[in-house]
């Protein structure tokens, strides 16, 4: 694969993890990461970090058992290198947790259900791998592998913490499928789909598995589906469900207005439950909510500094976890 095609796949991958599905009616959803926002990123980190803290912060993910948020941040712009950071919800006590992994471009951190570990995707010169690290930055370990040069992206721990769901596609073309790996059984991998159009498997607190069927790559459009783990098949499309990241029994969609963005809480049948608040930003990415439904987390567009913000739902206060 030549470098142009490789970079196209990487940019698409980063767009896919930052994008949400299109609107229901006249509302306009906003998780559209444009190609220029990816900075034509080279994914080979050289371990030489320009600064402790980067100038773009993306992909917030709440600690399910603590008042912390993980995210990825650029630590070098030339060449572009990103690492995983953790901060308290007020932005204090910021520390890097993927520093012992000196290669790759680290993205999309996900906490384990007990808050003790973080999984992230590391884009390499060829393909990508999934890594898990203790929350204190110790013991970085590579997770299951489907192919040595393919792209692996982590999505969701299972309820027991003994396994996890992820998606993978070969280096030749973007044909993703969902997989399940038995973390407690030497990384045994089970393939769940074979249509070449499936990404982001996510499991709810009730043990229900949702997957995305990719309808279009440009623009990115995906439909959420229910997956029957016992019979290994898709059983239902849920096109009404627009929020990308499932937390517990909910998700949050972003509705773009003329000069702002409104967050709407959805149940997992795609019903709008209530508006959570509005922020004065557009082109917001990675919208998610904490387990207790107290905060909405997102990152602003690159034009607005690519900062990690929290919206405190009860008061409408915007907390800037990072400031660029």
């Amino acid at each position: 694969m030549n470098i142009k095609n490789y970079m196209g796949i990487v940019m698409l991958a980063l767009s896919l993890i930052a994008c949400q599905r299109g609107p229901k009616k006249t509302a306009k959803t906003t998780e559209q990461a444009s190609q220029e926002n990816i900075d034509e990123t080279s994914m080979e980190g050289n371990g030489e970090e320009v600064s402790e803290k980067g100038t773009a912060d993306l992909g917030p993910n709440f600690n399910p058992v603590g008042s912390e948020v993980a995210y990825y941040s650029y630590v070098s712009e030339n060449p572009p290198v990103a690492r995983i950071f953790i901060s308290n919800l007020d932005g204090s006590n910021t520390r890097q947790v993927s520093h012992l992994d000196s290669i790759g471009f680290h993205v999309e951190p996900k906490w384990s259900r007990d808050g003790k570990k973080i999984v992230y995707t590391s884009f390499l010169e060829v393909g990508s791998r999934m890594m898990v690290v203790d929350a204190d930055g110790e013991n970085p370990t590579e997770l299951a592998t489907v192919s040595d040069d393919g792209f692996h992206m982590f999505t969701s721990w299972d309820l027991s913490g003994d396994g996890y769901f992820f998606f993978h596609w070969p280096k030749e073309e973007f044909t993703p499928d969902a997989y399940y790996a038995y973390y407690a059984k030497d990384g045994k991998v089970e393939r769940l789909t074979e249509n070449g159009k499936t990404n982001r498997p996510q499991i709810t607190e009730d043990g229900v598995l949702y997957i995305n069927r990719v309808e279009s790559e440009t623009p990115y459009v995906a439909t959420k589906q229910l997956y029957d783990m016992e019979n290994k098949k898709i059983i239902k499309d849920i096109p009404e469900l627009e929020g990308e990241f499932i937390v517990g029994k909910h998700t949050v969609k972003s509705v773009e207005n003329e000069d702002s963005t409104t967050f709407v809480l959805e149940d997992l049948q795609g019903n709008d439950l209530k508006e959570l608040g509005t922020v004065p930003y557009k082109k917001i990415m990675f919208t998610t909510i904490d387990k207790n439904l107290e905060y909405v987390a997102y990152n602003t567009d690159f034009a607005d500094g690519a900062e990690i913000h929290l919206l405190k739902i009860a008061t409408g206060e915007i907390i800037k976890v990072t400031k660029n």
Side-chain angles (χ1 to χ4, degrees):
M1 175 181 292
N2 64 43
I3 188 65
K4 182 177 180 180
N5 290 341
Y6 169 75
M7 290 306 304
I9 286 179
V10 170
M11 286 187 218
L12 174 60
L14 291 178
S15 295
L16 293 182
I17 65 177
C19 290
Q20 276 194 350
R21 199 183 176 277
K24 281 184 181 176
K25 296 180 182 178
T26 58
K28 185 178 179 183
T29 55
T30 63
E31 308 251 344
Q32 301 296 325
S34 59
Q35 183 163 320
E36 61 266 26
N37 284 349
I38 305 304
D39 279 342
E40 296 187 359
T41 304
S42 167
M43 294 303 152
E44 182 181 9
N46 63 359
E48 297 179 4
E49 299 179 0
V50 172
S51 64
E52 173 80 4
K53 185 68 175 56
T55 56
D57 308 304
L58 306 165
N61 183 247
F62 286 106
N63 184 338
V65 298
S67 299
E68 298 175 312
V69 62
Y71 51 93
Y72 68 95
S73 177
Y74 284 59
V75 295
S76 170
E77 292 186 340
N78 188 21
V81 175
R83 296 289 179 258
I84 307 301
F85 286 77
I86 298 174
S87 294
N88 292 345
L89 298 188
D90 62 1
S92 64
N93 194 27
T94 297
R95 63 270 193 203
Q96 186 181 160
V97 295
S98 65
H99 57 284
L100 294 181
D101 180 10
S102 61
I103 62 172
F105 190 92
H106 304 168
V107 303
E108 197 176 271
K110 294 290 183 183
W111 292 87
S112 61
R113 294 182 183 273
D114 60 7
K116 295 181 179 180
K117 296 180 180 294
I118 292 176
V119 172
Y120 59 91
T121 296
S122 176
F123 281 93
L124 307 173
E125 184 177 6
V126 176
S128 72
R129 59 181 179 167
M130 297 183 304
M131 299 290 295
V132 62
V133 64
D134 294 346
D136 62 4
E138 297 296 320
N139 302 314
T141 304
E142 186 171 353
L143 293 177
T145 300
V146 175
S147 63
D148 291 337
D149 52 10
F151 294 83
H152 304 76
M153 298 197 74
F154 180 86
T155 303
S156 182
W157 291 100
D158 66 11
L159 298 187
S160 68
D162 293 334
Y164 49 91
F165 300 91
F166 67 99
F167 64 102
H168 163 273
W169 70 98
K171 70 172 184 176
E172 289 79 13
E173 57 182 334
F174 184 70
T175 54
D177 276 303
Y179 292 78
Y180 176 71
Y182 296 84
Y183 184 66
K185 296 181 180 179
D186 299 323
K188 177 184 176 183
V189 174
E190 178 182 4
R191 187 170 184 170
L192 302 181
T193 64
E194 298 187 16
N195 58 20
K197 297 181 178 180
T198 304
N199 72 1
R200 196 172 291 287
Q202 299 180 80
I203 197 164
T204 73
E205 65 180 31
D206 296 326
V208 178
L209 183 64
Y210 286 76
I211 60 175
N212 284 357
R213 181 181 65 224
V214 180
E215 313 285 4
S216 168
E217 296 175 18
T218 308
Y220 176 70
V221 177
T223 296
K224 279 196 166 47
Q225 301 176 303
L226 277 177
Y227 185 90
D228 183 340
M229 279 289 291
E230 181 176 355
N231 295 303
K232 302 296 186 292
K233 65 178 182 179
I234 297 162
I235 57 175
K236 185 179 181 181
D237 286 357
I238 311 179
E240 300 82 9
L241 184 56
E242 299 181 68
E244 186 63 23
F245 300 100
I246 292 172
V247 178
K249 298 180 180 180
H250 300 92
T251 186
V252 174
K253 70 175 181 180
S254 302
V255 180
E256 190 172 284
N257 310 310
E258 183 176 351
D259 56 2
S260 62
T261 298
T262 299
F263 301 123
V264 178
L265 186 69
E266 291 185 295
D267 65 21
L268 298 185
Q269 290 71 52
N271 299 308
D272 293 351
L273 300 179
K274 63 178 180 179
E275 289 190 6
L276 300 175
T278 298
V279 296
Y281 302 97
K282 297 174 67 175
K283 297 184 180 179
I284 282 171
M285 298 180 286
F286 290 100
T287 303
T288 189
I289 195 166
D290 71 304
K291 187 176 181 180
N292 298 320
L293 307 184
E294 295 177 337
Y295 299 93
V296 174
Y298 59 92
N299 64 260
T300 59
D301 184 51
F302 278 68
D304 291 315
E307 299 175 336
I308 304 296
H309 290 184
L310 305 182
L311 172 68
K312 190 172 183 178
I313 296 170
T315 64
E317 175 189 4
I318 295 175
I319 302 169
K320 291 191 175 184
V321 178
T322 68
K323 299 178 181 180
N324 296 323

